[in-house]
Amino acid sequence: MPSKPLISIENRANLILLSESGHTQREVAKMVGCSQKSVADILKKHRLTGTVRDLAIPGRPRVTTKRQDNLLVRKCKKDRFKTATQIKAEVLSEYSIKLSTSTVQRRLRGAGLFGRKPQRKPRLTTKHKRDRLSFARSHKNWNTEEWARVVFSDESRFLLYTNDGRAYVRRMKGEEFSERCLQKTCKFGGGGIMVWGCFCWSGVGLLWKVSGNLKTNSYIDILENALIPSVDLHSLHSDWTFQQDNAPCHKSKGTKQWFGEQKIEVMNWPAQSPDLNPIENLWDHISLRIQEKSPSNHSEL
């Protein structure tokens, strides 16, 4: 039901003057443009309080001062991963201020600090950040033709059963554990397969299944049987650059020697930088397609 329009302070004052001039409540209501009940309520409020303004609504007084509110916010901003319970314990220990966890949560929310699931990013040292910035600066002026000559590569593991948090279920109250509303999980994802893949401007390359731990010899085998045919597939000839991350088998002496013998230029890639590699978008697309197909065994995967 829509709420009634509020009567302005000016009209309330006029209402009092008209009433004191001898007009009836019905006449005042018509003159001001409100209900007779509103006139009666305003006259009663004026008689009891001596004012027509809205009074402060009584309620439980705040248990914290403005200064204490600022203290809670500073504690949170100093360490964003600190819980309300931990902040409560700290202010009690350091300042003898006794608060409830819910009070701390309300003050933080009031300051715009809401609890959210954090985004996941690689842990970067100062050197990592410096190397990433150097890489960005040295490649910021590359044109499309230069990037088109880069072959991006990576390894990725795909699990038989995954739960990446992108699944939603619509359920009634009390159906949390209903068989129809459960997302089934399996320890270690039910197993999976690791693959190596690459792609370039003109398309994707071969996808190679990795067996066991990836070491220098097995990585060179992939380069010979998957990378080189992929390059030939897209007719890149000799004018191309290979991108790989800094995994031990990628940077080993034997691998570097193989690249030298094949006269393949390898891009100097900053460590801890999977987010810079566009192939991650391709892996994500494949992962979503796998979930759509719902494979039931490793052969289907």
Side-chain angles (χ1 to χ4, degrees):
M1 183 175 179
S3 60
K4 296 179 180 179
L6 295 176
I7 303 174
S8 68
I9 299 297
E10 183 181 356
N11 283 340
R12 295 180 199 181
N14 291 334
L15 183 152
I16 299 298
L17 292 175
L18 290 171
S19 178
E20 291 176 347
S21 298
H23 293 283
T24 65
Q25 291 185 5
R26 178 178 294 181
E27 291 173 341
V28 172
K30 286 185 177 180
M31 293 177 182
V32 177
C34 65
S35 68
Q36 187 174 339
K37 184 179 183 306
S38 297
V39 173
D41 290 341
I42 293 172
L43 291 175
K44 182 179 179 180
K45 176 189 284 188
H46 183 262
R47 186 173 63 254
L48 295 176
T49 65
T51 181
V52 294
R53 295 184 177 277
D54 294 324
L55 302 177
I57 299 175
R60 184 177 177 181
R62 290 169 64 94
V63 297
T64 59
T65 64
K66 185 64 177 177
R67 188 172 183 178
Q68 291 170 343
D69 292 346
N70 292 336
L71 172 64
L72 297 176
V73 171
R74 287 198 305 272
K75 288 281 185 184
C76 178
K77 287 186 174 181
K78 187 176 180 180
D79 183 357
R80 296 303 181 93
F81 287 86
K82 192 169 292 181
T83 65
T85 302
Q86 291 172 325
I87 294 175
K88 178 191 75 170
E90 280 191 14
V91 297
L92 177 61
S93 173
E94 298 174 12
Y95 302 96
S96 299
I97 302 174
K98 190 174 182 179
L99 302 172
S100 67
T101 300
S102 58
T103 296
V104 176
Q105 291 172 335
R106 285 196 298 272
R107 298 300 178 266
L108 296 179
R109 287 196 294 266
L113 294 166
F114 299 93
R116 297 288 186 265
K117 185 178 179 181
Q119 297 292 334
R120 302 172 68 89
K121 290 292 182 181
R123 184 182 295 274
L124 300 176
T125 64
T126 301
K127 184 179 185 306
H128 291 152
K129 295 176 182 179
R130 186 169 58 247
D131 291 344
R132 285 162 61 96
L133 181 59
S134 176
F135 176 85
R137 285 173 173 168
S138 62
H139 293 83
K140 69 177 182 178
N141 294 323
W142 273 32
N143 56 35
T144 302
E145 293 181 358
E146 289 173 299
W147 285 113
R149 293 195 293 268
V150 178
V151 177
F152 294 94
S153 73
D154 193 21
E155 297 86 23
S156 185
R157 184 174 180 81
F158 296 98
L159 300 176
L160 191 59
Y161 305 110
T162 62
N163 178 15
D164 62 0
R166 284 181 279 198
Y168 291 89
V169 62
R170 296 191 181 276
R171 65 192 184 202
M172 305 287 287
K173 186 177 180 180
E175 288 187 329
E176 290 87 348
F177 297 100
S178 171
E179 190 72 18
R180 294 173 301 172
C181 301
L182 294 177
Q183 184 175 36
K184 306 300 175 61
T185 62
C186 186
K187 195 173 183 180
F188 307 118
I193 60 173
M194 178 176 283
V195 297
W196 175 95
C198 68
F199 85 105
C200 61
W201 178 269
S202 54
V204 297
L206 301 182
L207 193 66
W208 190 270
K209 181 180 178 182
V210 178
S211 300
N213 295 328
L214 194 58
K215 297 185 180 298
T216 298
N217 291 337
S218 53
Y219 184 58
I220 292 176
D221 187 52
I222 292 174
L223 297 175
E224 292 178 342
N225 294 282
L227 173 62
I228 298 301
S230 298
V231 171
D232 294 338
L233 176 66
H234 295 288
S235 304
L236 296 179
H237 307 296
S238 60
D239 189 20
W240 59 280
T241 301
F242 181 59
Q243 180 278 334
Q244 61 177 3
D245 61 25
N246 294 281
C249 63
H250 298 175
K251 308 293 289 185
S252 68
K253 183 178 179 179
T255 302
K256 289 180 179 179
Q257 181 179 344
W258 184 87
F259 282 126
E261 293 172 352
Q262 300 297 320
K263 295 181 173 55
I264 295 176
E265 180 183 353
V266 180
M267 179 176 284
N268 186 20
W269 193 252
Q272 289 286 74
S273 299
D275 55 318
L276 297 181
N277 193 345
I279 202 172
E280 294 295 333
N281 300 309
L282 183 58
W283 293 143
D284 187 62
H285 176 73
I286 293 175
S287 181
L288 290 175
R289 292 295 300 274
I290 290 175
Q291 291 186 46
E292 291 174 1
K293 298 294 183 180
S294 298
S296 58
N297 53 58
H298 286 80
S299 297
E300 293 181 2
L301 178 63

